[in-house]
């Protein structure tokens, strides 16, 4: 693991305001990837993401409309954002999802549009999304055991998600990435089976360390299974994993089981943060730029938007947000985000 560990030490901030495109933050990181939460609602209730009961959702008038989202995406493209990922909550609950993809894909400067989804609605929609311009999907699948899957998602059916995975594959939404959040005592006994999906399929299977977001901190507290432990367990059965080159700012450290068609990725947000190569910013469904997943810093874009700000004015707010983006999270010092849960942030 050491070979791949990154420096987490915070460099000095540059006082210079970013006028370059793509914009660089005050630590010199190029910020060109926007993760857009389309809604905080979801048709699952994963144990590591949402509380079982009492989840509060944003009133609908608070959510950015399609037209507002497209205006923001144009301003973001002008500030140099090149990749957009739609997430949620469950992004496929948005009725305007196909039109949104089509409109965002047509914005000059946007090179890549992807989606992270729980897959429940992909079965019918995958070819339509592809035709609208979606490049790729990441699909969450935490267990291959239908009962365990139902338990972890609090009610969803594995076979529906599996049909979604096959539909995405067939529609050419590739390379397909599958995500599993591993929680000790829940699905950590399935790591070998999940990794085995890559033996015959050219997919990337990504293991994510569970993070202590608000509402689920209890699950995360004792539930984190470190990447180092996962690699040990996999190597005990499959032999040494082949370490692959890590593309730019992808948080997943890629490996391959010898001879496998696909790859395995590890997202070690808790035990080995990747803040030094962070290239992203988040837009919440109610129009806030959220500057670091695991901190509460936000900048309001919606008020300006609803008061008639021009695209240039929105671009300046986005550039300011890039400028003041914090270096990284404070989990080692016990700083936990409290403002929003993961379902309102989009991962
Ligand atoms: N509903 C979609 C899905 O589940 O793929 C998109 C939204 S979900 C919030 C985005 C990603 O965050 C998913 O891969 C999910 O597994 C991950 N996630 C949710 N809660 C998490 C937590 N506490 N720690 C780590 N990852 C989490
Ligand atoms: Fe919904 Fe995704 Fe959160 Fe699961 S991880 S509850 S599918 S938003």
């Amino acid at each position: 693991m050491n070979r791949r560990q990154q420096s987490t030490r915070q460099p000095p901030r540059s006082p210079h305001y970013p006028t370059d495109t793509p914009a660089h933050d005050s630590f010199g990181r190029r910020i060109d990837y926007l993760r857009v939460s389309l809604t905080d609602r979801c048709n699952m209730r994963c144990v590591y993401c949402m509380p079982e009961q009492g989840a509060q959702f944003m009133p609908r008038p608070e959510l950015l409309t399609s037209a507002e989202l497209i205006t923001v995406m144009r301003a973001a493209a002008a500030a140099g954002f090149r990749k957009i990922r739609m997430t949620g909550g469950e992004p496929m609950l948005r009725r305007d999802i196909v039109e949104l993809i089509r409109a965002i894909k047509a914005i000059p400067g946007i090179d890549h549009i992807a989606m992270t989804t729980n897959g429940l609605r992909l079965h019918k929609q995958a070819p339509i999304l592809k035709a609208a311009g979606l490049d790729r999907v990441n699909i969450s699948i935490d267990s291959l055991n239908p009962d365990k899957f139902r338990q972890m998602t609090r009610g969803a059916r594995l076979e529906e998600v599996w049909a979604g995975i096959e539909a995405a594959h067939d529609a050419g939404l590739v390379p397909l990435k599958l995500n599993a959040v591993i929680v000790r005592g829940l699905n950590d006994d399935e790591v070998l089976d999940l990794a085995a999906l890559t033996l015959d399929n050219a997919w990337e299977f990504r293991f994510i360390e569970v993070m202590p977001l608000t509402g689920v901190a209890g699950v995360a507290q004792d539930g984190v299974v470190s990447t180092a432990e996962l690699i040990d367990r996999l190597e005990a059965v499959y032999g040494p994993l082949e370490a692959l080159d890590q593309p730019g700012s992808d948080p997943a450290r890629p490996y391959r089981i010898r001879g496998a068609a696909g790859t395995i990725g590890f997202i070690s947000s808790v035990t080995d943060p990747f803040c030094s190569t962070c290239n992203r910013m988040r837009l919440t469904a109610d129009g806030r730029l959220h500057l670091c997943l695991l901190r509460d810093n936000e900048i309001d874009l919606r008020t300006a938007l609803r008061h008639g700000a021009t695209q240039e004015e929105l671009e300046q707010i986005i550039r300011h947000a890039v400028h003041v983006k914090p270096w990284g999270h404070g989990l080692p010092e016990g700083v936990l985000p409290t403002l929003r849960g993961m379902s309102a942030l989009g991962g």
Side-chain angles (χ1 to χ4, degrees):
M1 282 298 292
N2 279 340
R3 179 174 94 68
R4 287 171 172 268
Q5 278 189 338
Q6 298 172 10
S7 165
T8 53
R9 186 178 301 165
Q10 177 173 329
R13 267 191 193 273
S14 157
H16 299 297
Y17 195 72
T19 51
D20 50 347
T21 301
H24 289 71
D25 73 0
S26 60
F27 302 107
R29 295 172 297 188
R30 174 180 158 143
I31 309 299
D32 61 1
Y33 172 24
L34 189 63
R35 297 179 63 101
V36 182
S37 174
L38 296 180
T39 173
D40 60 341
R41 289 164 199 264
C42 191
N43 45 3
M44 290 191 189
R45 289 286 182 279
C46 302
V47 293
Y48 50 75
C49 182
M50 288 172 93
E52 184 164 17
Q53 276 160 356
Q56 304 280 321
F57 300 109
M58 296 167 192
R60 288 195 195 276
E62 303 271 312
L63 268 60
L64 296 189
T65 63
S66 303
E68 288 172 334
L69 277 163
I70 292 160
T71 303
V72 174
M73 296 305 109
R74 286 207 184 98
F81 282 81
R82 296 288 169 258
K83 174 174 172 181
I84 303 290
R85 173 173 298 278
M86 289 170 301
T87 176
E90 176 45 42
M92 298 224 23
L93 293 186
R94 283 280 295 226
R95 293 207 185 98
D96 53 359
I97 185 77
V98 176
E99 292 72 28
L100 269 174
I101 291 169
R102 195 172 291 124
I104 294 170
K105 185 74 174 184
I107 296 173
I110 301 297
D111 300 334
H112 191 86
I113 175 161
M115 180 162 67
T116 299
T117 171
N118 64 27
L120 275 184
R121 294 199 173 179
L122 264 186
H123 175 45
K124 290 191 181 138
Q125 292 275 75
I128 301 167
L129 299 174
K130 176 73 182 173
L134 187 67
D135 291 302
R136 286 211 1 257
V137 282
N138 291 17
I139 304 172
S140 299
I141 178 162
D142 299 314
S143 171
L144 299 177
N145 173 318
D147 294 332
K148 179 67 64 67
F149 188 81
R150 194 175 316 113
Q151 181 192 353
M152 287 193 73
T153 57
R154 299 201 182 95
R157 289 174 58 214
L158 176 62
E159 63 192 64
E160 286 181 30
V161 173
W162 196 256
I165 291 171
E166 289 181 335
H169 179 89
D170 293 346
L173 292 166
V174 293
L176 203 56
K177 295 190 183 182
L178 305 183
N179 292 338
V181 176
I182 302 299
V183 184
R184 193 179 299 284
L186 270 180
N187 61 345
D188 62 319
D189 58 341
E190 287 198 58
V191 168
L192 297 174
D193 294 339
L194 292 168
L197 290 175
T198 66
L199 293 174
D200 296 325
N201 300 295
W203 299 338
E204 178 177 336
F205 200 96
R206 303 168 7 137
F207 295 103
I208 305 175
E209 289 178 352
V210 61
M211 288 177 256
L213 272 288
T214 189
V216 297
V219 176
Q221 201 167 22
D222 304 317
V224 180
V225 184
S226 70
T227 293
E229 180 179 336
L230 290 181
I231 290 180
D232 282 348
R233 287 204 213 171
L234 290 170
E235 291 193 330
V237 174
Y238 294 116
L241 298 181
E242 183 189 348
L244 307 174
D245 286 338
Q246 186 168 2
S249 42
D250 189 343
R253 282 149 187 137
Y255 291 79
R256 187 192 302 277
I257 297 173
R258 299 253 171 219
T263 61
I264 298 172
F266 298 95
I267 302 186
S268 327
S269 323
V270 179
T271 64
D272 186 13
F274 35 84
C275 307
S276 61
T277 55
C278 185
N279 65 339
R280 59 199 61 195
M281 189 160 278
R282 292 170 172 81
L283 178 70
T284 63
D286 58 348
R288 267 66 178 179
L289 288 164
H290 192 93
L291 308 187
C292 167
L293 176 61
L294 292 168
R295 288 195 186 269
D296 285 336
N297 312 42
E298 291 192 344
I299 287 184
D300 177 12
L301 204 53
R302 194 188 65 192
T303 301
L305 189 61
R306 292 193 174 170
H307 283 83
T310 62
Q311 182 182 304
E312 287 71 26
E313 288 165 339
L314 294 172
E315 180 190 336
Q316 287 314 315
I317 297 173
I318 295 169
R319 285 182 179 274
H320 170 70
V322 168
H323 185 59
V324 299
K325 179 175 163 64
W327 167 250
H329 66 68
L331 293 186
E333 300 90 53
V335 178
L336 296 182
T338 56
L339 199 57
R340 298 175 190 263
M342 192 65 105
S343 56
L345 288 171

